[in-house]
Amino acid sequence: MERVSEDEKKVNGETEGQIANGNGSIGENHDDIALDKSITSTDGSLSTPVNGLESTADSDKIDGSTVDGATYASALRSGLDGQDIDDSRRENGTGPHDDDDSYPELDDLTVDEIHLPPKPSQNGGIRWAPWNVPFKRRLQTLVVLMHCMCIVLTVSIFFALCANPFAWPLLLIYLLHVLSSKAATDGSLRYRSEWFRKSYMWRLFAGYFPARLHKTHDLPPTRKYIFGYHPHGIISHGAWAAFATDALGFSEKFPGITNSLLTLDSNFRIPLYREYILAAGVRSVSKESIVNILSKGGPNGEGMGRGVTIVIGGARESLEAQPGQLRLILKERKGFVKIAVRTGADLVPVLAFGENNLYDQLHPKEHPLVHKLQMFILKVWKFTLPFLHGRGIFNYDVGLMPYRRPLNIVVGAPIKVTQASAVDQAEINRLHDLYVAELEKLWNRYKDEFAPDRKEELQILS
């Protein structure tokens, strides 16, 4: 369990959000651009699949028969047995083809790519994974487990080394380096390893859910970008897969753009763990870091072709992460827009369909006292304690592993920003309204493809 501090550094006195990374939350703060790490532990029911299909199973069959070539969304709409459950939406003119024409058709995951769990047992017992699970799927689980435990593992290794007196001189030099290093904020992208980011293990990580990155518009490498990732979820696994690694093909879809996922500055003070995230290209979400990244490098040394990814909702939004729902803490988060104006970076909304479905969490309406405690901790200590609940390593019902449920990460259209040294509040509000409108377009255009069994529509909260 890790804490996510939501306001380490403040930009114009506003707090913005956080980004998740591995077993922590890589947080971003919008006016406060500092990253958070959320503690998550949830209690919920695992027996009811979210999005109709819970992609955690080790069987390739649906009710004994395979559905070749069918998409995940169409299978949900057909109930997997040929009975269409989406007629009312089409009759009301809300079908997938009635949305904004500026966004193209995207390929959904096919049913063949989604592995369904066995049906819940009648006695409510735990559903155990069979022994004959394909070896590749076991490797996927291992990689996700190691990533979720990365802070615990790296800190444990460090203290194990501390137990050896012969290692003390080297550890002392290393600790001095950790305390004095500016690698996370100087914008140089030192220690970033493309070999590490393109490693095969990250393809296993992405295949666990599975996750897919969708491109809707070209992003010219002659501009700089701030990607806003939504929603935060419990732990932003989609943000890590899409932007901290190249497992989903970001470099091929957006050639010429060097993107950095941002996280809480305090993460770079954790021995050994900092090397792990630095190698993935992750950097601090502080204002200094963002400005440096977007004003250095590129063909002309002015940051063109650079990008940063910030999870806008932060610790507060993680408390709203419920399967089948999409509630974004965005109305008052405008710090990222101010930074965009100061650096001349275009704003690019990113909507991750399925991020909130990866864990169950105590519902605030069903557990009001727990929610009040969470909000009190968030207000006083600036980190949150979501109580999460997922699947296990060898079962589908009990544990802290994320569910195997599809992640569709859609990158929207860029919003052109003109650089200005003086920040005009009217311009900030205009750009923020455009950003929110673009997010709503993304949702309306692709909700029937990637969230066909949603429980409610998109909500923008303050």
Side-chain angles (χ1 to χ4, degrees):
M1 306 267 291
E2 319 168 333
R3 291 182 302 188
V4 181
S5 167
E6 199 178 270
D7 54 25
E8 277 258 311
K9 294 187 178 180
K10 300 218 170 190
V11 179
N12 296 329
E14 297 175 351
T15 300
E16 294 193 70
Q18 42 169 250
I19 292 178
N21 141 42
N23 98 350
S25 295
I26 300 179
E28 37 127 4
N29 299 327
H30 283 171
D31 278 80
D32 171 316
I33 300 204
L35 264 202
D36 297 281
K37 243 190 207 173
S38 310
I39 295 190
T40 1
S41 63
T42 309
D43 220 359
S45 163
L46 288 178
S47 59
T48 303
V50 176
N51 286 343
L53 306 177
E54 177 187 334
S55 132
T56 50
D58 303 305
S59 167
D60 293 330
K61 297 192 176 181
I62 303 171
D63 295 339
S65 61
T66 59
V67 185
D68 295 330
T71 66
Y72 179 61
S74 65
L76 287 174
R77 288 194 292 268
S78 301
L80 300 177
D81 60 2
Q83 182 178 0
D84 197 335
I85 61 175
D86 203 33
D87 289 336
S88 61
R89 279 186 191 153
R90 286 197 291 272
E91 290 173 1
N92 294 330
T94 58
H97 298 290
D98 297 324
D99 294 313
D100 195 300
D101 291 336
S102 65
Y103 282 104
E105 292 284 345
L106 299 178
D107 292 332
D108 192 6
L109 294 163
T110 65
V111 172
D112 293 336
E113 297 176 84
I114 310 299
H115 299 278
L116 308 177
K119 293 181 178 180
S121 59
Q122 294 181 352
N123 60 5
I126 295 175
R127 295 171 295 169
W128 295 95
W131 288 106
N132 61 342
V133 172
F135 182 66
K136 183 177 181 180
R137 291 175 59 77
R138 290 297 189 200
L139 288 178
Q140 291 172 347
T141 302
L142 176 62
V143 171
V144 172
L145 175 65
M146 291 177 61
H147 179 66
C148 291
M149 296 291 292
C150 57
I151 289 184
V152 174
L153 291 173
T154 52
V155 171
S156 298
I157 292 172
F158 176 77
F159 281 111
L161 291 174
C162 290
N164 181 2
F166 294 103
W168 290 355
L170 293 177
L171 291 176
L172 178 61
I173 296 173
Y174 175 71
L175 287 176
L176 291 174
H177 166 71
V178 169
L179 294 174
S180 61
S181 174
K182 300 294 184 182
T185 59
D186 63 9
S188 65
L189 303 187
R190 285 180 296 162
Y191 309 119
R192 177 186 175 109
S193 170
E194 293 304 322
W195 173 85
F196 180 73
R197 288 168 50 85
K198 294 180 179 181
S199 172
Y200 177 69
M201 70 176 178
W202 299 125
R203 280 183 278 170
L204 292 172
F205 178 88
Y208 172 89
F209 302 100
R212 180 176 290 180
L213 180 66
H214 301 274
K215 170 184 175 180
T216 62
H217 292 76
D218 290 330
L219 299 180
T222 53
R223 301 287 298 172
K224 54 185 80 170
Y225 303 95
I226 292 180
F227 296 85
Y229 184 88
H230 309 270
H232 180 280
I234 300 294
I235 299 173
S236 302
H237 288 301
W240 179 268
F243 303 112
T245 78
D246 203 33
L248 303 184
F250 181 91
S251 62
E252 295 179 4
K253 296 177 187 295
F254 305 102
I257 297 176
T258 302
N259 187 37
S260 299
L261 185 62
L262 303 183
T263 187
L264 192 64
D265 190 64
S266 59
N267 287 335
F268 299 95
R269 298 293 178 261
I270 302 176
L272 300 184
Y273 176 69
R274 71 183 296 275
E275 320 306 330
Y276 175 77
I277 57 178
L278 283 173
V282 178
R283 292 300 182 265
S284 170
V285 76
S286 66
K287 175 185 174 182
E288 175 191 6
S289 171
I290 296 174
V291 171
N292 284 336
I293 291 173
L294 296 178
S295 60
K296 298 180 180 179
N300 59 358
E302 297 180 356
M304 297 303 177
R306 287 274 184 98
V308 296
T309 298
I310 303 172
V311 179
I312 307 298
R316 174 66 183 86
E317 190 172 274
S318 68
L319 298 180
E320 299 292 339
Q322 296 288 340
Q325 300 176 354
L326 188 58
R327 299 176 179 178
L328 306 182
I329 307 299
L330 184 58
K331 278 186 179 180
E332 305 302 325
R333 307 254 166 151
K334 299 180 181 179
F336 71 107
V337 182
K338 294 178 181 179
I339 294 293
V341 172
R342 289 170 178 165
T343 59
D346 294 346
L347 296 169
V348 184
V350 179
L351 200 54
F353 292 87
E355 183 71 61
N356 283 346
N357 298 335
L358 300 183
Y359 293 96
D360 287 310
Q361 179 179 196
L362 290 181
H363 199 286
K365 292 183 179 179
E366 298 175 1
H367 304 274
L369 294 180
V370 173
H371 184 66
K372 288 181 180 179
L373 175 62
Q374 291 173 320
M375 294 302 295
F376 175 78
I377 293 174
L378 178 63
K379 182 178 180 180
V380 175
W381 288 289
K382 308 305 179 184
F383 67 85
T384 185
L385 298 168
F387 294 101
L388 70 84
H389 165 301
R391 63 162 287 170
I393 301 174
F394 300 110
N395 72 81
Y396 304 119
D397 300 298
V398 181
L400 297 179
M401 291 281 288
Y403 294 121
R404 284 181 178 267
R405 291 171 179 166
L407 269 174
N408 285 284
I409 303 154
V410 184
V411 180
I415 299 169
K416 184 71 176 293
V417 176
T418 302
Q419 187 171 6
S421 56
V423 178
D424 178 53
Q425 190 59 44
E427 177 66 4
I428 298 299
N429 293 339
R430 184 186 73 85
L431 290 171
H432 186 269
D433 290 343
L434 286 175
Y435 183 88
V436 172
E438 207 61 42
L439 264 180
E440 291 173 339
K441 280 185 182 180
L442 275 177
W443 168 256
N444 291 325
R445 178 64 182 84
Y446 298 115
K447 62 184 180 182
D448 289 329
E449 294 177 47
F450 301 141
D453 64 336
R454 58 195 177 276
K455 298 177 181 177
E456 61 181 36
E457 295 300 309
L458 168 67
Q459 295 185 41
I460 306 295
L461 309 177
S462 56

mmCIF file of all heavy atoms in Angstrom, residues 427-447:
data_model
loop_
_atom_site.group_PDB
_atom_site.id
_atom_site.type_symbol
_atom_site.label_atom_id
_atom_site.label_comp_id
_atom_site.label_asym_id
_atom_site.label_seq_id
_atom_site.Cartn_x
_atom_site.Cartn_y
_atom_site.Cartn_z
ATOM 1 N N GLU A 427 -8.544 33.527 -21.154
ATOM 2 C CA GLU A 427 -7.989 32.554 -22.099
ATOM 3 C C GLU A 427 -7.853 31.179 -21.451
ATOM 4 O O GLU A 427 -8.113 30.148 -22.087
ATOM 5 C CB GLU A 427 -6.631 33.040 -22.608
ATOM 6 C CG GLU A 427 -5.918 32.085 -23.556
ATOM 7 C CD GLU A 427 -6.634 31.892 -24.878
ATOM 8 O OE1 GLU A 427 -7.664 32.561 -25.127
ATOM 9 O OE2 GLU A 427 -6.159 31.069 -25.683
ATOM 10 N N ILE A 428 -7.450 31.153 -20.182
ATOM 11 C CA ILE A 428 -7.364 29.883 -19.453
ATOM 12 C C ILE A 428 -8.739 29.214 -19.407
ATOM 13 O O ILE A 428 -8.867 28.012 -19.662
ATOM 14 C CB ILE A 428 -6.830 30.105 -18.020
ATOM 15 C CG1 ILE A 428 -5.410 30.672 -18.047
ATOM 16 C CG2 ILE A 428 -6.874 28.805 -17.222
ATOM 17 C CD1 ILE A 428 -4.400 29.783 -18.718
ATOM 18 N N ASN A 429 -9.755 29.986 -19.085
ATOM 19 C CA ASN A 429 -11.113 29.436 -19.017
ATOM 20 C C ASN A 429 -11.584 28.941 -20.388
ATOM 21 O O ASN A 429 -12.247 27.900 -20.490
ATOM 22 C CB ASN A 429 -12.077 30.497 -18.491
ATOM 23 C CG ASN A 429 -11.811 30.857 -17.035
ATOM 24 O OD1 ASN A 429 -11.200 30.077 -16.301
ATOM 25 N ND2 ASN A 429 -12.251 32.029 -16.619
ATOM 26 N N ARG A 430 -11.251 29.677 -21.430
ATOM 27 C CA ARG A 430 -11.650 29.267 -22.783
ATOM 28 C C ARG A 430 -11.004 27.939 -23.168
ATOM 29 O O ARG A 430 -11.676 27.027 -23.680
ATOM 30 C CB ARG A 430 -11.263 30.349 -23.786
ATOM 31 C CG ARG A 430 -11.732 30.069 -25.218
ATOM 32 C CD ARG A 430 -11.189 31.088 -26.201
ATOM 33 N NE ARG A 430 -9.770 30.882 -26.454
ATOM 34 C CZ ARG A 430 -9.278 30.017 -27.362
ATOM 35 N NH1 ARG A 430 -10.104 29.288 -28.087
ATOM 36 N NH2 ARG A 430 -7.978 29.912 -27.541
ATOM 37 N N LEU A 431 -9.700 27.834 -22.935
ATOM 38 C CA LEU A 431 -8.992 26.598 -23.265
ATOM 39 C C LEU A 431 -9.495 25.434 -22.415
ATOM 40 O O LEU A 431 -9.629 24.305 -22.903
ATOM 41 C CB LEU A 431 -7.490 26.790 -23.068
ATOM 42 C CG LEU A 431 -6.794 27.705 -24.073
ATOM 43 C CD1 LEU A 431 -5.362 27.987 -23.643
ATOM 44 C CD2 LEU A 431 -6.806 27.097 -25.470
ATOM 45 N N HIS A 432 -9.780 25.695 -21.158
ATOM 46 C CA HIS A 432 -10.297 24.644 -20.281
ATOM 47 C C HIS A 432 -11.651 24.157 -20.774
ATOM 48 O O HIS A 432 -11.926 22.942 -20.793
ATOM 49 C CB HIS A 432 -10.398 25.172 -18.847
ATOM 50 C CG HIS A 432 -10.791 24.136 -17.845
ATOM 51 N ND1 HIS A 432 -12.109 23.886 -17.507
ATOM 52 C CD2 HIS A 432 -10.039 23.263 -17.114
ATOM 53 C CE1 HIS A 432 -12.149 22.912 -16.611
ATOM 54 N NE2 HIS A 432 -10.911 22.515 -16.348
ATOM 55 N N ASP A 433 -12.503 25.089 -21.208
ATOM 56 C CA ASP A 433 -13.811 24.700 -21.738
ATOM 57 C C ASP A 433 -13.661 23.868 -23.015
ATOM 58 O O ASP A 433 -14.401 22.889 -23.219
ATOM 59 C CB ASP A 433 -14.650 25.947 -22.033
ATOM 60 C CG ASP A 433 -15.090 26.662 -20.763
ATOM 61 O OD1 ASP A 433 -15.030 26.045 -19.689
ATOM 62 O OD2 ASP A 433 -15.476 27.850 -20.854
ATOM 63 N N LEU A 434 -12.716 24.252 -23.859
ATOM 64 C CA LEU A 434 -12.470 23.479 -25.075
ATOM 65 C C LEU A 434 -11.981 22.076 -24.736
ATOM 66 O O LEU A 434 -12.373 21.089 -25.370
ATOM 67 C CB LEU A 434 -11.429 24.189 -25.952
ATOM 68 C CG LEU A 434 -11.884 25.441 -26.707
ATOM 69 C CD1 LEU A 434 -10.696 26.077 -27.424
ATOM 70 C CD2 LEU A 434 -12.981 25.096 -27.707
ATOM 71 N N TYR A 435 -11.127 21.998 -23.731
ATOM 72 C CA TYR A 435 -10.582 20.705 -23.309
ATOM 73 C C TYR A 435 -11.701 19.787 -22.798
ATOM 74 O O TYR A 435 -11.789 18.614 -23.173
ATOM 75 C CB TYR A 435 -9.530 20.926 -22.229
ATOM 76 C CG TYR A 435 -8.835 19.674 -21.759
ATOM 77 C CD1 TYR A 435 -7.697 19.200 -22.406
ATOM 78 C CD2 TYR A 435 -9.323 18.954 -20.663
ATOM 79 C CE1 TYR A 435 -7.062 18.041 -21.972
ATOM 80 C CE2 TYR A 435 -8.693 17.800 -20.237
ATOM 81 C CZ TYR A 435 -7.569 17.351 -20.893
ATOM 82 O OH TYR A 435 -6.938 16.202 -20.465
ATOM 83 N N VAL A 436 -12.561 20.335 -21.940
ATOM 84 C CA VAL A 436 -13.673 19.547 -21.409
ATOM 85 C C VAL A 436 -14.608 19.118 -22.537
ATOM 86 O O VAL A 436 -15.076 17.967 -22.579
ATOM 87 C CB VAL A 436 -14.440 20.354 -20.345
ATOM 88 C CG1 VAL A 436 -15.710 19.621 -19.920
ATOM 89 C CG2 VAL A 436 -13.556 20.607 -19.124
ATOM 90 N N ALA A 437 -14.879 20.026 -23.466
ATOM 91 C CA ALA A 437 -15.742 19.685 -24.597
ATOM 92 C C ALA A 437 -15.146 18.569 -25.446
ATOM 93 O O ALA A 437 -15.870 17.687 -25.933
ATOM 94 C CB ALA A 437 -15.981 20.930 -25.454
ATOM 95 N N GLU A 438 -13.825 18.580 -25.623
ATOM 96 C CA GLU A 438 -13.173 17.537 -26.409
ATOM 97 C C GLU A 438 -13.244 16.188 -25.702
ATOM 98 O O GLU A 438 -13.421 15.140 -26.345
ATOM 99 C CB GLU A 438 -11.717 17.926 -26.673
ATOM 100 C CG GLU A 438 -11.127 17.334 -27.930
ATOM 101 C CD GLU A 438 -11.848 17.767 -29.188
ATOM 102 O OE1 GLU A 438 -12.198 18.965 -29.299
ATOM 103 O OE2 GLU A 438 -12.064 16.907 -30.070
ATOM 104 N N LEU A 439 -13.111 16.218 -24.387
ATOM 105 C CA LEU A 439 -13.271 14.981 -23.618
ATOM 106 C C LEU A 439 -14.678 14.421 -23.772
ATOM 107 O O LEU A 439 -14.863 13.207 -23.925
ATOM 108 C CB LEU A 439 -12.992 15.253 -22.137
ATOM 109 C CG LEU A 439 -11.592 14.964 -21.593
ATOM 110 C CD1 LEU A 439 -11.538 15.297 -20.108
ATOM 111 C CD2 LEU A 439 -11.181 13.519 -21.822
ATOM 112 N N GLU A 440 -15.660 15.289 -23.711
ATOM 113 C CA GLU A 440 -17.042 14.844 -23.865
ATOM 114 C C GLU A 440 -17.293 14.286 -25.261
ATOM 115 O O GLU A 440 -18.047 13.322 -25.427
ATOM 116 C CB GLU A 440 -17.984 16.003 -23.562
ATOM 117 C CG GLU A 440 -17.982 16.409 -22.094
ATOM 118 C CD GLU A 440 -18.775 17.663 -21.819
ATOM 119 O OE1 GLU A 440 -18.999 18.444 -22.786
ATOM 120 O OE2 GLU A 440 -19.172 17.881 -20.658
ATOM 121 N N LYS A 441 -16.640 14.873 -26.276
ATOM 122 C CA LYS A 441 -16.744 14.322 -27.631
ATOM 123 C C LYS A 441 -16.173 12.904 -27.684
ATOM 124 O O LYS A 441 -16.758 12.000 -28.296
ATOM 125 C CB LYS A 441 -15.983 15.204 -28.616
ATOM 126 C CG LYS A 441 -16.711 16.455 -29.070
ATOM 127 C CD LYS A 441 -15.888 17.162 -30.135
ATOM 128 C CE LYS A 441 -16.543 18.450 -30.594
ATOM 129 N NZ LYS A 441 -15.724 19.126 -31.641
ATOM 130 N N LEU A 442 -15.010 12.729 -27.060
ATOM 131 C CA LEU A 442 -14.400 11.398 -27.034
ATOM 132 C C LEU A 442 -15.341 10.390 -26.398
ATOM 133 O O LEU A 442 -15.530 9.274 -26.902
ATOM 134 C CB LEU A 442 -13.089 11.443 -26.244
ATOM 135 C CG LEU A 442 -11.809 11.850 -26.967
ATOM 136 C CD1 LEU A 442 -10.653 11.911 -25.988
ATOM 137 C CD2 LEU A 442 -11.482 10.882 -28.099
ATOM 138 N N TRP A 443 -15.918 10.770 -25.267
ATOM 139 C CA TRP A 443 -16.825 9.869 -24.561
ATOM 140 C C TRP A 443 -18.041 9.527 -25.422
ATOM 141 O O TRP A 443 -18.392 8.356 -25.585
ATOM 142 C CB TRP A 443 -17.257 10.506 -23.251
ATOM 143 C CG TRP A 443 -18.389 9.815 -22.574
ATOM 144 C CD1 TRP A 443 -19.693 10.204 -22.525
ATOM 145 C CD2 TRP A 443 -18.332 8.557 -21.856
ATOM 146 N NE1 TRP A 443 -20.460 9.302 -21.827
ATOM 147 C CE2 TRP A 443 -19.650 8.289 -21.403
ATOM 148 C CE3 TRP A 443 -17.320 7.660 -21.553
ATOM 149 C CZ2 TRP A 443 -19.954 7.147 -20.663
ATOM 150 C CZ3 TRP A 443 -17.628 6.521 -20.816
ATOM 151 C CH2 TRP A 443 -18.921 6.273 -20.387
ATOM 152 N N ASN A 444 -18.678 10.548 -25.979
ATOM 153 C CA ASN A 444 -19.896 10.327 -26.767
ATOM 154 C C ASN A 444 -19.622 9.526 -28.035
ATOM 155 O O ASN A 444 -20.465 8.749 -28.487
ATOM 156 C CB ASN A 444 -20.543 11.668 -27.111
ATOM 157 C CG ASN A 444 -21.132 12.361 -25.898
ATOM 158 O OD1 ASN A 444 -21.639 11.699 -24.992
ATOM 159 N ND2 ASN A 444 -21.060 13.683 -25.861
ATOM 160 N N ARG A 445 -18.431 9.719 -28.600
ATOM 161 C CA ARG A 445 -18.110 9.026 -29.846
ATOM 162 C C ARG A 445 -17.814 7.549 -29.629
ATOM 163 O O ARG A 445 -18.184 6.703 -30.455
ATOM 164 C CB ARG A 445 -16.897 9.704 -30.501
ATOM 165 C CG ARG A 445 -16.434 9.032 -31.797
ATOM 166 C CD ARG A 445 -17.511 9.141 -32.870
ATOM 167 N NE ARG A 445 -17.112 8.478 -34.096
ATOM 168 C CZ ARG A 445 -17.257 7.172 -34.332
ATOM 169 N NH1 ARG A 445 -17.782 6.383 -33.407
ATOM 170 N NH2 ARG A 445 -16.873 6.649 -35.472
ATOM 171 N N TYR A 446 -17.167 7.200 -28.524
ATOM 172 C CA TYR A 446 -16.678 5.831 -28.371
ATOM 173 C C TYR A 446 -17.289 5.064 -27.198
ATOM 174 O O TYR A 446 -16.914 3.917 -26.953
ATOM 175 C CB TYR A 446 -15.154 5.841 -28.225
ATOM 176 C CG TYR A 446 -14.453 6.401 -29.433
ATOM 177 C CD1 TYR A 446 -13.727 7.584 -29.348
ATOM 178 C CD2 TYR A 446 -14.539 5.778 -30.673
ATOM 179 C CE1 TYR A 446 -13.086 8.116 -30.465
ATOM 180 C CE2 TYR A 446 -13.916 6.305 -31.790
ATOM 181 C CZ TYR A 446 -13.191 7.476 -31.674
ATOM 182 O OH TYR A 446 -12.572 8.005 -32.786
ATOM 183 N N LYS A 447 -18.242 5.676 -26.492
ATOM 184 C CA LYS A 447 -18.796 4.997 -25.310
ATOM 185 C C LYS A 447 -19.528 3.710 -25.673
ATOM 186 O O LYS A 447 -19.500 2.734 -24.912
ATOM 187 C CB LYS A 447 -19.722 5.942 -24.553
ATOM 188 C CG LYS A 447 -20.943 6.404 -25.347
ATOM 189 C CD LYS A 447 -21.761 7.422 -24.569
ATOM 190 C CE LYS A 447 -22.978 7.880 -25.374
ATOM 191 N NZ LYS A 447 -23.750 8.906 -24.626
#
